[in-house]
Amino acid sequence: MSKFVSGRHFLQTPGPTNIPDRVLRAMDRNAINHRGPEFGALGREIIGKLRGVFQTEAATIGIFPASGTGAWESSLANTLAPGDRILISRTGQFSHLWEQMASRLGVDVVALETDWRRGADPAAIGQALGQDSEHRIKAVCAVHSETSTSCMTDIGAVREAMNRAKHPALLMVDAISSLGCADYRHDAWGVDVTIAGSQKGLMVPPGLSFTAISGKALAAARVGGTRRSYWDWEPLVASNKTGYFPYTPAVNLLFALNEAMNMLAEEGLPNVFARHDRYARATRMAVAAWGLELQCQDPSAYAPGVTAIRVPDGHSADNLRNIILDRFNMALGNGLGRIEDKVFRIGHMGDLGVLSFTGTLTGVEMGLRAAGIPHREGGVQAAMNYLASANE
Ligand SMILES: *Cc1c(COP(=O)(O)O)cnc(C)c1O
C-alpha cells in the first residue's frame, strides 16, 4: 500500500495537465447514443468550437480517439507515400519522435540539426527548400512548442520562408503543447495540417487527438498518401457536416472537451495566452534568481506553457524531481532523450490559478534545497513580486 499523502497532488507536468472541476463534472455522466440526435448536435458544436481554437474558418477537423501520436500518424499516412520526402528540423525529442515515425512509414527524411536550445530556423528551412528545385520535398514538418526543450518555432516565419522559396510543400505543424497556451493561427499562417491533443492546454484527460486540415492537404490526401483505413481523412468531410463519427467516438471525453472549450471562451483566448505568458515570465524570473540556466537560449523563443531548466553539471534532475514528488507531492516533467537527467520541466499550462502556480515554484525552490542543488534563494519572491504587480 502506498503511503497516505494529505492535500492536493500538484500535477505540474507539461501534459497531462490539471483537469478543471467543471470538466470533470461534465464527463461524469452516462454515455449517450452516438447515433442519436443529441450526439449529432454535440459533434457539430465541438467542431465549430475547435475551429475557433485553431483559428480557422473552414479547415476540416479530425478528432481521433488517440493520443497526439495518433494525429501524427494520420497526417503522415494521408499525405505521404513511402519514398516521399519531408523536411524537419531536429529541435528536440518530439521532432525526433515524429521523424522516427516518418522513417518507419518509409518516408525519406531530410533533417536540419539544432542544439535543442532554440526553435527551428526559418532561414535554414527556406535554404533547404531553395535547393530542392525538383520539389521532391512534399512536406515541411515543424513542432510549434517543442515541449522537451521549451523552445518555440515561429510558424508564421516558416510559412514566409516557404513562400519566398516558392515551394509547394505542405506545412504540417505539431501544436500539441501550444494549442490553448499560445496564439496559434492555422489560417493566417497558411498551415496545411495542425496536430493537437486533449491533455495539454485544452485541459481534457488524455485520449483525444485533433487535426485541422487545409483544402490543399485534403486534395493531396485524395491523390496520395500511404495505405490507410481507420486514419483516413475522407470520412471526416461528411462527419464535419453531420457531427457523427464513422465509429464509436469517445463520448465522455467529448463532453469534457466541450466544457473545456466553454471555459476557454469565457476567459477569452487572448486572456488565456496572456495568463500563460505571465506564468512563463514569472518562472524565468525565478530561474534567474535561483541562478540556474534555462534550456532555451533564444529569448524570442521561450514557450508559454512549459519551462525546461538545467541542473548544474554533476547534479541529477531526476533526483530533484523524485525528492519533490516524495516530499511535496508534486510531479514535474523529466528531461527527455539526450537531455535526460540534465533538465527538469515545470509545466505551467492549462488550468492553473496564480496561487497554484506560485505553490508550484515554492515546491521547486524547497526541492532545490532538499536535493542539495547549488542555487540562490529568492526565486519564488522574484516571481511573486512580478505577479503582484502584473496586470491581469
Ligand atoms: C505531448 C506531446 C506529444 C506526444 O503526444 P502524445 O499525446 O503523448 O501522443 C507530441 N508532441 C508534442 C510537442 C508534445 O508536447
Side-chain angles (χ1 to χ4, degrees), residues 67-69 72 94 143 145 147 174 176-177 199-200:
S67 79
T69 303
W72 272 351
F94 290 104
V143 178
S145 164
T147 323
D174 172 341
I176 294 178
S177 73
Q199 78 275 24
K200 303 203 178 180

mmCIF file with all atom_site columns, all heavy atoms in Angstrom, residues 67-69 72 94 143 145 147 174 176-177 199-200, ligand 1:
data_model
loop_
_atom_site.group_PDB
_atom_site.id
_atom_site.type_symbol
_atom_site.label_atom_id
_atom_site.label_alt_id
_atom_site.label_comp_id
_atom_site.label_asym_id
_atom_site.label_entity_id
_atom_site.label_seq_id
_atom_site.pdbx_PDB_ins_code
_atom_site.Cartn_x
_atom_site.Cartn_y
_atom_site.Cartn_z
_atom_site.occupancy
_atom_site.B_iso_or_equiv
_atom_site.pdbx_formal_charge
_atom_site.auth_seq_id
_atom_site.auth_comp_id
_atom_site.auth_asym_id
_atom_site.auth_atom_id
_atom_site.pdbx_PDB_model_num
ATOM   1   N N   . SER A 1 67  ? -3.900 9.318  -28.576 1.00 0.00 ? 67  SER A N   1
ATOM   2   C CA  . SER A 1 67  ? -3.054 10.393 -28.073 1.00 0.00 ? 67  SER A CA  1
ATOM   3   C C   . SER A 1 67  ? -2.571 11.200 -29.268 1.00 0.00 ? 67  SER A C   1
ATOM   4   O O   . SER A 1 67  ? -2.845 10.850 -30.426 1.00 0.00 ? 67  SER A O   1
ATOM   5   C CB  . SER A 1 67  ? -1.882 9.823  -27.267 1.00 0.00 ? 67  SER A CB  1
ATOM   6   O OG  . SER A 1 67  ? -0.877 9.363  -28.135 1.00 0.00 ? 67  SER A OG  1
ATOM   7   N N   . GLY A 1 68  ? -1.844 12.263 -29.014 1.00 0.00 ? 68  GLY A N   1
ATOM   8   C CA  . GLY A 1 68  ? -1.360 13.124 -30.099 1.00 0.00 ? 68  GLY A CA  1
ATOM   9   C C   . GLY A 1 68  ? -0.579 12.344 -31.150 1.00 0.00 ? 68  GLY A C   1
ATOM   10  O O   . GLY A 1 68  ? -0.611 12.673 -32.347 1.00 0.00 ? 68  GLY A O   1
ATOM   11  N N   . THR A 1 69  ? 0.099  11.313 -30.729 1.00 0.00 ? 69  THR A N   1
ATOM   12  C CA  . THR A 1 69  ? 0.876  10.483 -31.650 1.00 0.00 ? 69  THR A CA  1
ATOM   13  C C   . THR A 1 69  ? -0.003 9.927  -32.773 1.00 0.00 ? 69  THR A C   1
ATOM   14  O O   . THR A 1 69  ? 0.445  9.780  -33.912 1.00 0.00 ? 69  THR A O   1
ATOM   15  C CB  . THR A 1 69  ? 1.545  9.336  -30.850 1.00 0.00 ? 69  THR A CB  1
ATOM   16  O OG1 . THR A 1 69  ? 2.337  9.924  -29.815 1.00 0.00 ? 69  THR A OG1 1
ATOM   17  C CG2 . THR A 1 69  ? 2.447  8.494  -31.727 1.00 0.00 ? 69  THR A CG2 1
ATOM   18  N N   . TRP A 1 72  ? -0.297 12.502 -35.422 1.00 0.00 ? 72  TRP A N   1
ATOM   19  C CA  . TRP A 1 72  ? 0.932  12.493 -36.235 1.00 0.00 ? 72  TRP A CA  1
ATOM   20  C C   . TRP A 1 72  ? 0.799  11.450 -37.350 1.00 0.00 ? 72  TRP A C   1
ATOM   21  O O   . TRP A 1 72  ? 1.076  11.726 -38.507 1.00 0.00 ? 72  TRP A O   1
ATOM   22  C CB  . TRP A 1 72  ? 2.124  12.063 -35.383 1.00 0.00 ? 72  TRP A CB  1
ATOM   23  C CG  . TRP A 1 72  ? 2.868  13.106 -34.628 1.00 0.00 ? 72  TRP A CG  1
ATOM   24  C CD1 . TRP A 1 72  ? 2.741  14.468 -34.717 1.00 0.00 ? 72  TRP A CD1 1
ATOM   25  C CD2 . TRP A 1 72  ? 3.897  12.855 -33.664 1.00 0.00 ? 72  TRP A CD2 1
ATOM   26  N NE1 . TRP A 1 72  ? 3.628  15.070 -33.871 1.00 0.00 ? 72  TRP A NE1 1
ATOM   27  C CE2 . TRP A 1 72  ? 4.351  14.119 -33.210 1.00 0.00 ? 72  TRP A CE2 1
ATOM   28  C CE3 . TRP A 1 72  ? 4.475  11.700 -33.139 1.00 0.00 ? 72  TRP A CE3 1
ATOM   29  C CZ2 . TRP A 1 72  ? 5.357  14.249 -32.255 1.00 0.00 ? 72  TRP A CZ2 1
ATOM   30  C CZ3 . TRP A 1 72  ? 5.474  11.824 -32.194 1.00 0.00 ? 72  TRP A CZ3 1
ATOM   31  C CH2 . TRP A 1 72  ? 5.911  13.084 -31.748 1.00 0.00 ? 72  TRP A CH2 1
ATOM   32  N N   . PHE A 1 94  ? 10.472 15.692 -29.418 1.00 0.00 ? 94  PHE A N   1
ATOM   33  C CA  . PHE A 1 94  ? 9.226  15.458 -30.160 1.00 0.00 ? 94  PHE A CA  1
ATOM   34  C C   . PHE A 1 94  ? 9.439  15.528 -31.662 1.00 0.00 ? 94  PHE A C   1
ATOM   35  O O   . PHE A 1 94  ? 8.854  14.729 -32.403 1.00 0.00 ? 94  PHE A O   1
ATOM   36  C CB  . PHE A 1 94  ? 8.111  16.369 -29.646 1.00 0.00 ? 94  PHE A CB  1
ATOM   37  C CG  . PHE A 1 94  ? 7.682  15.946 -28.271 1.00 0.00 ? 94  PHE A CG  1
ATOM   38  C CD1 . PHE A 1 94  ? 8.062  16.659 -27.143 1.00 0.00 ? 94  PHE A CD1 1
ATOM   39  C CD2 . PHE A 1 94  ? 6.972  14.773 -28.095 1.00 0.00 ? 94  PHE A CD2 1
ATOM   40  C CE1 . PHE A 1 94  ? 7.721  16.230 -25.875 1.00 0.00 ? 94  PHE A CE1 1
ATOM   41  C CE2 . PHE A 1 94  ? 6.623  14.325 -26.827 1.00 0.00 ? 94  PHE A CE2 1
ATOM   42  C CZ  . PHE A 1 94  ? 6.999  15.059 -25.711 1.00 0.00 ? 94  PHE A CZ  1
ATOM   43  N N   . VAL A 1 143 ? 7.525  21.556 -35.153 1.00 0.00 ? 143 VAL A N   1
ATOM   44  C CA  . VAL A 1 143 ? 6.899  21.474 -33.833 1.00 0.00 ? 143 VAL A CA  1
ATOM   45  C C   . VAL A 1 143 ? 6.795  22.899 -33.298 1.00 0.00 ? 143 VAL A C   1
ATOM   46  O O   . VAL A 1 143 ? 7.813  23.565 -33.119 1.00 0.00 ? 143 VAL A O   1
ATOM   47  C CB  . VAL A 1 143 ? 7.729  20.583 -32.883 1.00 0.00 ? 143 VAL A CB  1
ATOM   48  C CG1 . VAL A 1 143 ? 7.091  20.545 -31.498 1.00 0.00 ? 143 VAL A CG1 1
ATOM   49  C CG2 . VAL A 1 143 ? 7.870  19.175 -33.453 1.00 0.00 ? 143 VAL A CG2 1
ATOM   50  N N   . SER A 1 145 ? 5.585  24.240 -30.301 1.00 0.00 ? 145 SER A N   1
ATOM   51  C CA  . SER A 1 145 ? 6.173  24.326 -28.965 1.00 0.00 ? 145 SER A CA  1
ATOM   52  C C   . SER A 1 145 ? 6.864  22.996 -28.703 1.00 0.00 ? 145 SER A C   1
ATOM   53  O O   . SER A 1 145 ? 6.199  21.977 -28.515 1.00 0.00 ? 145 SER A O   1
ATOM   54  C CB  . SER A 1 145 ? 5.074  24.588 -27.933 1.00 0.00 ? 145 SER A CB  1
ATOM   55  O OG  . SER A 1 145 ? 5.550  24.322 -26.634 1.00 0.00 ? 145 SER A OG  1
ATOM   56  N N   . THR A 1 147 ? 8.084  20.690 -26.533 1.00 0.00 ? 147 THR A N   1
ATOM   57  C CA  . THR A 1 147 ? 7.839  20.533 -25.100 1.00 0.00 ? 147 THR A CA  1
ATOM   58  C C   . THR A 1 147 ? 9.072  20.030 -24.347 1.00 0.00 ? 147 THR A C   1
ATOM   59  O O   . THR A 1 147 ? 9.212  20.268 -23.153 1.00 0.00 ? 147 THR A O   1
ATOM   60  C CB  . THR A 1 147 ? 6.666  19.561 -24.894 1.00 0.00 ? 147 THR A CB  1
ATOM   61  O OG1 . THR A 1 147 ? 5.712  19.795 -25.922 1.00 0.00 ? 147 THR A OG1 1
ATOM   62  C CG2 . THR A 1 147 ? 5.995  19.756 -23.558 1.00 0.00 ? 147 THR A CG2 1
ATOM   63  N N   . ASP A 1 174 ? 3.009  20.405 -35.471 1.00 0.00 ? 174 ASP A N   1
ATOM   64  C CA  . ASP A 1 174 ? 2.627  19.814 -34.192 1.00 0.00 ? 174 ASP A CA  1
ATOM   65  C C   . ASP A 1 174 ? 2.393  20.958 -33.210 1.00 0.00 ? 174 ASP A C   1
ATOM   66  O O   . ASP A 1 174 ? 3.338  21.652 -32.817 1.00 0.00 ? 174 ASP A O   1
ATOM   67  C CB  . ASP A 1 174 ? 3.759  18.895 -33.712 1.00 0.00 ? 174 ASP A CB  1
ATOM   68  C CG  . ASP A 1 174 ? 3.556  18.373 -32.290 1.00 0.00 ? 174 ASP A CG  1
ATOM   69  O OD1 . ASP A 1 174 ? 2.761  18.966 -31.537 1.00 0.00 ? 174 ASP A OD1 1
ATOM   70  O OD2 . ASP A 1 174 ? 4.223  17.390 -31.931 1.00 0.00 ? 174 ASP A OD2 1
ATOM   71  N N   . ILE A 1 176 ? 0.715  20.388 -30.321 1.00 0.00 ? 176 ILE A N   1
ATOM   72  C CA  . ILE A 1 176 ? 0.137  19.625 -29.206 1.00 0.00 ? 176 ILE A CA  1
ATOM   73  C C   . ILE A 1 176 ? 0.281  20.380 -27.885 1.00 0.00 ? 176 ILE A C   1
ATOM   74  O O   . ILE A 1 176 ? -0.648 20.416 -27.086 1.00 0.00 ? 176 ILE A O   1
ATOM   75  C CB  . ILE A 1 176 ? 0.766  18.209 -29.126 1.00 0.00 ? 176 ILE A CB  1
ATOM   76  C CG1 . ILE A 1 176 ? 0.374  17.404 -30.375 1.00 0.00 ? 176 ILE A CG1 1
ATOM   77  C CG2 . ILE A 1 176 ? 0.321  17.483 -27.853 1.00 0.00 ? 176 ILE A CG2 1
ATOM   78  C CD1 . ILE A 1 176 ? 0.965  16.008 -30.455 1.00 0.00 ? 176 ILE A CD1 1
ATOM   79  N N   . SER A 1 177 ? 1.433  20.994 -27.662 1.00 0.00 ? 177 SER A N   1
ATOM   80  C CA  . SER A 1 177 ? 1.595  21.679 -26.370 1.00 0.00 ? 177 SER A CA  1
ATOM   81  C C   . SER A 1 177 ? 1.497  23.200 -26.496 1.00 0.00 ? 177 SER A C   1
ATOM   82  O O   . SER A 1 177 ? 1.861  23.920 -25.573 1.00 0.00 ? 177 SER A O   1
ATOM   83  C CB  . SER A 1 177 ? 2.908  21.280 -25.694 1.00 0.00 ? 177 SER A CB  1
ATOM   84  O OG  . SER A 1 177 ? 4.005  21.876 -26.347 1.00 0.00 ? 177 SER A OG  1
ATOM   85  N N   . GLN A 1 199 ? -4.743 16.636 -23.823 1.00 0.00 ? 199 GLN A N   1
ATOM   86  C CA  . GLN A 1 199 ? -4.304 16.627 -22.420 1.00 0.00 ? 199 GLN A CA  1
ATOM   87  C C   . GLN A 1 199 ? -3.317 17.721 -22.040 1.00 0.00 ? 199 GLN A C   1
ATOM   88  O O   . GLN A 1 199 ? -2.671 17.639 -21.009 1.00 0.00 ? 199 GLN A O   1
ATOM   89  C CB  . GLN A 1 199 ? -3.717 15.251 -22.084 1.00 0.00 ? 199 GLN A CB  1
ATOM   90  C CG  . GLN A 1 199 ? -2.293 15.000 -22.577 1.00 0.00 ? 199 GLN A CG  1
ATOM   91  C CD  . GLN A 1 199 ? -2.195 14.504 -24.004 1.00 0.00 ? 199 GLN A CD  1
ATOM   92  O OE1 . GLN A 1 199 ? -3.090 14.730 -24.801 1.00 0.00 ? 199 GLN A OE1 1
ATOM   93  N NE2 . GLN A 1 199 ? -1.105 13.845 -24.346 1.00 0.00 ? 199 GLN A NE2 1
ATOM   94  N N   . LYS A 1 200 ? -3.187 18.751 -22.887 1.00 0.00 ? 200 LYS A N   1
ATOM   95  C CA  . LYS A 1 200 ? -2.224 19.800 -22.531 1.00 0.00 ? 200 LYS A CA  1
ATOM   96  C C   . LYS A 1 200 ? -2.987 21.111 -22.317 1.00 0.00 ? 200 LYS A C   1
ATOM   97  O O   . LYS A 1 200 ? -3.748 21.207 -21.377 1.00 0.00 ? 200 LYS A O   1
ATOM   98  C CB  . LYS A 1 200 ? -1.135 19.848 -23.581 1.00 0.00 ? 200 LYS A CB  1
ATOM   99  C CG  . LYS A 1 200 ? -0.495 18.444 -23.677 1.00 0.00 ? 200 LYS A CG  1
ATOM   100 C CD  . LYS A 1 200 ? 0.869  18.338 -24.220 1.00 0.00 ? 200 LYS A CD  1
ATOM   101 C CE  . LYS A 1 200 ? 1.293  16.875 -24.175 1.00 0.00 ? 200 LYS A CE  1
ATOM   102 N NZ  . LYS A 1 200 ? 2.618  16.616 -24.691 1.00 0.00 ? 200 LYS A NZ  1
HETATM 103 C C1  . LIG B 2 .   ? 2.941  15.598 -25.610 1.00 0.00 ? 1   LIG B C1  1
HETATM 104 C C2  . LIG B 2 .   ? 3.495  15.854 -26.970 1.00 0.00 ? 1   LIG B C2  1
HETATM 105 C C3  . LIG B 2 .   ? 3.465  14.881 -27.986 1.00 0.00 ? 1   LIG B C3  1
HETATM 106 C C4  . LIG B 2 .   ? 3.022  13.482 -27.737 1.00 0.00 ? 1   LIG B C4  1
HETATM 107 O O1  . LIG B 2 .   ? 1.687  13.403 -27.615 1.00 0.00 ? 1   LIG B O1  1
HETATM 108 P P1  . LIG B 2 .   ? 1.004  12.082 -27.021 1.00 0.00 ? 1   LIG B P1  1
HETATM 109 O O2  . LIG B 2 .   ? -0.342 12.585 -26.680 1.00 0.00 ? 1   LIG B O2  1
HETATM 110 O O3  . LIG B 2 .   ? 1.822  11.648 -25.855 1.00 0.00 ? 1   LIG B O3  1
HETATM 111 O O4  . LIG B 2 .   ? 0.993  11.082 -28.100 1.00 0.00 ? 1   LIG B O4  1
HETATM 112 C C5  . LIG B 2 .   ? 3.915  15.219 -29.224 1.00 0.00 ? 1   LIG B C5  1
HETATM 113 N N1  . LIG B 2 .   ? 4.394  16.444 -29.489 1.00 0.00 ? 1   LIG B N1  1
HETATM 114 C C6  . LIG B 2 .   ? 4.465  17.391 -28.548 1.00 0.00 ? 1   LIG B C6  1
HETATM 115 C C7  . LIG B 2 .   ? 5.017  18.734 -28.899 1.00 0.00 ? 1   LIG B C7  1
HETATM 116 C C8  . LIG B 2 .   ? 4.019  17.125 -27.264 1.00 0.00 ? 1   LIG B C8  1
HETATM 117 O O5  . LIG B 2 .   ? 4.097  18.073 -26.310 1.00 0.00 ? 1   LIG B O5  1
#
